[in-house]
Amino acid sequence: MTKQTLARWLAALGLGLALVGAPTLAHGAPAPTPSPTAAAEASPAARPSSDAQQRQRHYAQREAASPRAADFKGNGVGVYIGGSTLAVVLIIVLIVVLL
């Protein structure tokens, strides 16, 4: 097997793997249609649930307990390299080394 043949096989394999899930992603799921009674009950003016009110009170207490949190300024220095990025770089390096 020559380098050209290997490169063609790798390119075809990469393209095939990239396009495997394309039809599923493009199709999507149909949106459910709400019933008229559910639409009337879920009006925007509806009162928030007690769980939501408890969370709001909890966050308000936390904010009141630490007023210095409002002055926080992040340093903005940081680069995140995820596993997918490392995998892509590794594959590219292997292809370059093999060819």
Side-chain angles (χ1 to χ4, degrees):
M1 188 179 280
T2 65
K3 287 185 178 183
Q4 274 186 328
T5 308
L6 180 63
R8 286 182 186 161
W9 275 99
L10 287 175
L13 180 66
L15 183 61
L17 288 174
L19 296 176
V20 164
T24 304
L25 293 174
H27 179 63
T33 56
S35 63
T37 57
E41 291 174 1
S43 66
R47 187 171 80 84
S49 68
S50 64
D51 185 40
Q53 290 174 349
Q54 287 176 353
R55 276 189 269 136
Q56 288 176 353
R57 274 190 250 118
H58 176 69
Y59 290 135
Q61 290 171 354
R62 286 178 58 190
E63 286 181 8
S66 60
R68 290 183 49 205
D71 297 332
F72 175 76
K73 293 183 180 75
N75 61 3
V77 178
V79 176
Y80 175 75
I81 300 175
S84 299
T85 305
L86 289 175
V88 168
V89 169
L90 179 64
I91 290 171
I92 291 172
V93 168
L94 285 174
I95 290 173
V96 168
V97 168
L98 292 175
L99 298 178

